[in-house]
Amino acid sequence: MLATPDPATHVYDKPPAHANPDWTIDQDWRSYNAEQHETWDILYARQKDMLPDRAAQAFLNGIDILKLSKPGIPDFAELNRILMDTTGWQVVAVPGLVPDDVFFDHLANRRFVSGNFIRRRDQLDYLQEPDIFHDVFGHVPMLADQRFGDYMAAYGRGGLRALEYGTLKQLARLYWYTVEFGLIQEPDGLRIYGAGIVSSYGESIFALEDPSPNRIMFDLERILRTEYRIDDYQQNYFVIPSLDELLRVTVETDFKPVYDKIADLPDIRIAEIVDGDVVLTKGTQAYARSQSGE
Ligand code: PHE
Ligand code: FE
């Protein structure tokens, strides 16, 4: 589960009694009932059919490597044996939203924190807080990619620095527009890799095919200044040219001078296009308008 950008229902200020000092809990895989496993299978089947021409190659590879086609909610112990051997990452369960420093420390140490609950049957299409389908199906396949795994671990270290500098608000936008809602340019066209998109049936189609949202080439400084919405499909997607390029402009770049530079610049509103944007699609924003009742 994500510390800052995702809203969640349970917020603790210290690890609850049943949690370990590092906030992790047992996934308690045996406690899932048949209906809960079936909920996973329904969600999985729906995504599986539509993702081959839409999801990034790294994501599709991850599904295969991690054998996520096996029915039922994955058992973290089993998943971690493969993930650990592949990129050194692990998935650990936490009871809800954890404090920022705890979240970043886990990432920096290649532990991805995940909720262990699954959505109810009446929430197949939408829920606000990330459940195990979002956290595991959405996030974990990309962690089987060496480059993306390195990116996430570096993001954890960068998060600890951002806490010191007071620039978490800016850094969280990078997570949002890459890890959660990123698009990538591949030889056959645009593909999705953000967990918030690949775990959502509706947004997987919307992000690539709908004329409403803007699709803009990735620019670090620009993204750190850009607001985002957490309550509906995005109005902006940012497109990376490749995972290597993402690493070059983030992992290999010191953000301190960037934070200093943008400290005096205004934030960029959600659907705004600014000078310097390399715009792939200038969105109509028709969807966002229809939702706001205009
Ligand atoms: N290089 C960044 C910094 O100097 C850290 C970072 C790496 C942030 C990767 C995000 C992703 O803070
Ligand atoms: Fe997430």
Side-chain angles (χ1 to χ4, degrees):
M1 185 174 299
L2 172 63
T4 323
D6 282 350
T9 43
H10 303 291
V11 182
Y12 302 95
D13 56 7
K14 61 177 170 40
H18 63 294
N20 299 309
D22 71 354
W23 292 74
T24 60
I25 55 173
D26 186 17
Q27 182 196 9
D28 199 11
W29 185 77
R30 279 172 206 293
S31 71
Y32 297 117
N33 62 34
E35 184 185 334
Q36 290 170 321
H37 284 299
E38 199 187 46
T39 299
W40 173 283
D41 292 342
I42 294 168
L43 291 165
Y44 181 86
R46 222 163 50 151
Q47 292 311 92
K48 182 69 188 164
D49 287 343
M50 67 121 94
L51 289 180
D53 294 325
R54 293 193 174 90
Q57 197 54 51
F59 182 90
L60 298 172
N61 293 346
I63 296 275
D64 286 344
I65 294 167
L66 299 168
K67 303 191 174 16
L68 285 175
S69 58
K70 185 175 168 184
I73 297 171
D75 181 345
F76 289 178
E78 223 172 88
L79 195 59
N80 284 340
R81 275 194 291 276
I82 311 178
L83 192 55
M84 189 66 151
D85 282 348
T86 313
T87 55
W89 273 84
Q90 278 174 272
V91 191
V92 293
V94 289
L97 219 147
V98 301
D100 296 325
D101 61 323
V102 175
F103 176 70
F104 293 135
D105 189 69
H106 279 301
L107 286 186
N109 289 290
R110 295 186 177 252
R111 289 186 296 267
F112 187 77
V113 301
S114 167
N116 63 353
F117 75 96
I118 189 149
R119 66 192 73 182
R120 294 192 317 264
R121 206 50 83 76
D122 61 337
Q123 299 172 315
L124 289 183
D125 287 314
Y126 188 76
L127 87 167
Q128 277 248 322
E129 65 281 2
D131 72 337
I132 192 170
F133 188 76
H134 167 82
D135 282 336
V136 173
F137 182 85
H139 285 281
V140 177
M142 290 299 288
L143 294 173
D145 182 275
Q146 195 62 52
R147 292 160 302 176
F148 198 81
D150 290 350
Y151 174 69
M152 287 288 273
Y155 186 93
R157 297 192 296 274
L160 295 171
R161 295 182 75 198
L163 283 176
E164 283 172 37
Y165 302 145
T167 54
L168 189 53
K169 183 174 160 197
Q170 286 69 34
L171 183 67
R173 292 166 172 165
L174 176 64
Y175 192 96
W176 194 260
Y177 284 119
T178 58
V179 178
E180 293 293 349
F181 292 98
L183 303 184
I184 183 168
Q185 243 168 1
E186 291 197 343
D188 294 329
L190 285 190
R191 294 290 186 264
I192 56 185
Y193 71 92
I197 312 178
V198 294
S199 63
S200 158
Y201 183 78
E203 194 151 3
S204 293
I205 298 168
F206 179 86
L208 291 174
E209 290 154 47
D210 202 278
S212 293
N214 298 324
R215 298 178 185 87
I216 304 169
M217 288 308 289
F218 182 97
D219 179 273
L220 179 65
E221 197 179 298
R222 201 272 195 221
I223 288 176
L224 295 182
R225 292 174 56 204
T226 306
E227 295 169 349
Y228 57 82
R229 64 184 302 164
I230 61 170
D231 59 336
D232 206 334
Y233 295 162
Q234 299 303 299
Q235 291 176 250
N236 269 332
Y237 296 95
F238 290 94
V239 181
I240 57 169
S242 66
L243 287 170
D244 288 320
E245 181 62 11
L246 177 65
L247 262 61
R248 195 180 67 73
V249 298
T250 57
V251 180
E252 296 170 26
T253 300
D254 179 3
F255 283 20
K256 184 69 170 80
V258 186
Y259 293 139
D260 290 344
K261 178 175 172 199
I262 65 174
D264 301 323
L265 299 175
D267 285 348
I268 299 172
R269 280 171 301 120
I270 290 175
E272 196 179 340
I273 303 271
V274 296
D275 282 351
D277 279 348
V278 178
V279 179
L280 300 182
T281 315
K282 166 94 177 74
T284 62
Q285 302 300 339
Y287 174 78
R289 260 200 309 279
S290 74
Q291 294 306 99
S292 69
E294 277 172 47

